[in-house]
Amino acid sequence: MTSNNVTEAEVGEPSETAPVKSVDDRLIDELVDRAQAEGLQLTGEGGLLQQLTKRLLESALEGEITDHLGYDKHDPAGKNSGNSRNGTRAKTVLTDVGPVEITVPRDREGSFEPKIVKKRQKRLSGVDEMVVSLAAKGLTTGEVQAHLAEVYGADVSRQTISTITDKVLEGMAEWQNRPLDAVYPVVFIDAIHVKIRDGAVANRPIYVALAVTVEGRRDILGLWAGDGGEGAKHWMHILTEIKNRGVNDVLMLVCDGLKGLPDAVETVWPKTIVQTCVVHLLRNSFRYAARQDWDKIAKLLKPVYTAATENAALDRFAEFADAWGKKYPAIVRLWENAWEEFTPFLRFDTEIRRIVCTTNAIESVNARIRRAVKARGHFPNEQAALKCVYMAIMSLDPTGKGQARWTMRWKTALNAFDITFDGRLSAARQ
């Protein structure tokens, strides 16, 4: 596309050796300078970007119908060809720069099917991606609607926004059922709680399973909504689903003392070690204590979970029980009940301890999810809640830099896992 005052010679033909530019810089500069000189806004309704978008879309549509008919507009070759142009029809499409009214060419046979702006299409794909991205960041349909109106001058109904985000449900179903790796060194399982209106508004857990691959990458295995009956039977269903998707072995599974989970893990993967998250254990301890005692309790519990051996941990815990057992017996009972799942990581070296004694790896994911669901208040149903969480997960690392940092942090730990677990990890790489 050239300006009326810019000829092809002025723009210049690319030489055989010169790199071909997608758009000439001088042409862009002249368009911007002219727009500013004439008081034309670059963005907004009627601005330069909208006008350029209109011209580009119409030019592309004209090229499509030329390819469809086999001859250029006004070309005599089209005479008596059996099909010809038949005027245009007006259409408004929502684009990244706002609503743009375009003219779409038609043919007499009605066989022309445009591709860049399909029949009955009212939004370009970038708009759908933008709506999904805004929703994934926690904006409600009303807030997305207001954002599009304020920034782009586009009037988009809440129903349309809901329809756009509903498109992710097909991808979510495919993602939830995709095949998984045969072996994972560590799987973290944790829950976030969302408010779901099912007759009455109630807090419901949504469980997230996050795995570390043998290459050190983060892989979120799936999402599951709980209904309050989270016992061994519930977890057996979830873990069996994961196994049926190809997971034959998990070296360690880290969780927050979820009821019934250890028994289910032993049934599905007999060699898997279940480890209770130490950070969660500490947090739960503080719930039974007065705020002014937290620092003192934390100081006495640290030697327990940093002990060199399980026997040493028992000695340090006995000292804690002597000091605080009378005032806070519930804390002592909490640790005694969790002891069997708390102690496994004490058998390993510091690299494995550092990784598995906490669910921080999944906590960072949950923090992003919580931000996304916080603004919603409550969800009308379980599917709406899962859709919101799924969109938040899909937008976790758009640049891929987070995944690269994650992989680097896990290199040393994976070597320790390989040695400690007798080559079960190496077998997965073969």
Side-chain angles (χ1 to χ4, degrees), residues 93-268:
V93 292
L94 181 60
T95 72
D96 291 346
V97 296
V100 175
E101 185 174 329
I102 59 175
T103 56
V104 182
R106 300 182 297 186
D107 64 334
R108 295 194 178 278
E109 290 183 352
S111 56
F112 175 50
E113 296 283 348
K115 295 181 177 61
I116 190 168
V117 183
K118 297 180 175 62
K119 288 182 178 180
R120 293 175 293 279
Q121 181 181 355
K122 296 182 179 180
R123 305 177 305 276
L124 297 190
S125 59
V127 175
D128 288 13
E129 294 167 2
M130 177 172 54
V131 169
V132 171
S133 176
L134 291 171
K137 289 177 172 60
L139 273 68
T140 64
T141 53
E143 289 169 337
V144 174
Q145 181 187 40
H147 177 84
L148 295 176
E150 179 181 353
V151 178
Y152 300 99
D155 184 14
V156 183
S157 70
R158 293 191 181 194
Q159 181 58 49
T160 298
I161 294 169
S162 181
T163 300
I164 293 172
T165 56
D166 279 346
K167 291 181 180 179
V168 306
L169 293 175
E170 293 181 8
M172 183 173 73
E174 183 178 349
W175 171 81
Q176 184 77 22
N177 293 289
R178 74 195 188 282
L180 301 175
D181 293 351
V183 178
Y184 289 107
V186 186
V187 172
F188 299 89
I189 292 182
D190 203 358
I192 62 163
H193 287 83
V194 299
K195 292 180 172 61
I196 296 178
R197 185 179 66 246
D198 187 8
V201 177
N203 278 326
R204 294 266 302 277
I206 292 183
Y207 294 102
V208 182
L210 183 151
V212 180
T213 70
V214 294
E215 295 84 16
R217 292 183 296 103
R218 177 178 62 194
D219 188 9
I220 298 176
L221 307 184
L223 302 170
W224 297 269
D227 58 6
E230 284 72 30
K233 185 177 180 181
H234 169 82
W235 285 111
M236 182 73 72
H237 171 76
I238 290 177
L239 298 181
T240 301
E241 176 188 317
I242 294 174
K243 184 175 183 179
N244 289 342
R245 290 163 60 193
V247 182
N248 297 321
D249 192 12
V250 173
L251 306 189
M252 296 192 74
L253 188 142
V254 184
C255 64
D256 178 23
L258 296 168
K259 183 181 178 181
L261 182 55
D263 292 337
V265 171
E266 185 177 2
T267 302
V268 177

Side-chain angles (χ1 to χ4, degrees), residues 138 192-194 369-377 379 385 388-389:
I192 62 163
H193 287 83
V194 299
I369 296 171
R370 288 189 183 98
R371 287 200 297 270
V373 302
K374 186 177 180 180
R376 304 303 178 91
F379 296 91
C388 175
V389 174

Side-chain angles (χ1 to χ4, degrees), residues 235-408:
W235 285 111
M236 182 73 72
H237 171 76
I238 290 177
L239 298 181
T240 301
E241 176 188 317
I242 294 174
K243 184 175 183 179
N244 289 342
R245 290 163 60 193
V247 182
N248 297 321
D249 192 12
V250 173
L251 306 189
M252 296 192 74
L253 188 142
V254 184
C255 64
D256 178 23
L258 296 168
K259 183 181 178 181
L261 182 55
D263 292 337
V265 171
E266 185 177 2
T267 302
V268 177
W269 298 300
K271 295 192 292 184
T272 298
I273 294 174
V274 177
Q275 172 67 51
T276 294
C277 169
V278 176
V279 171
H280 278 83
L281 200 53
L282 288 169
R283 288 177 186 167
N284 292 336
S285 299
F286 295 148
R287 292 176 184 174
Y288 296 108
R291 179 65 182 86
Q292 64 266 25
D293 292 332
W294 285 7
D295 290 342
K296 298 173 185 176
I297 290 173
K299 186 177 181 180
L300 271 183
L301 283 175
K302 185 175 181 179
V304 178
Y305 61 83
T306 58
T309 64
E310 183 176 351
N311 287 335
L314 277 169
D315 292 339
R316 303 290 80 77
F317 181 68
E319 294 172 1
F320 172 83
D322 289 340
W324 292 99
K326 290 183 179 179
K327 188 172 184 179
Y328 298 121
I331 298 179
V332 175
R333 185 166 59 251
L334 174 70
W335 281 72
E336 288 175 344
N337 292 339
W339 195 261
E340 187 175 347
E341 282 78 41
F342 157 70
T343 54
F345 83 109
L346 295 174
R347 310 169 200 163
F348 305 117
D349 63 27
T350 55
E351 287 300 327
I352 293 181
R353 285 191 183 200
R354 181 175 58 84
I355 290 296
V356 304
C357 73
T358 172
T359 55
N360 281 349
I362 198 169
E363 282 290 325
S364 61
V365 174
N366 285 348
R368 182 72 64 88
I369 296 171
R370 288 189 183 98
R371 287 200 297 270
V373 302
K374 186 177 180 180
R376 304 303 178 91
H378 62 266
F379 296 91
N381 51 53
E382 180 181 291
Q383 187 181 58
L386 286 170
K387 180 177 74 171
C388 175
V389 174
Y390 171 74
M391 288 192 295
I393 285 174
M394 291 299 105
S395 63
L396 276 175
D397 187 20
T399 64
K401 292 181 179 178
Q403 187 73 272
R405 290 194 299 269
W406 175 284
T407 302
M408 289 301 297

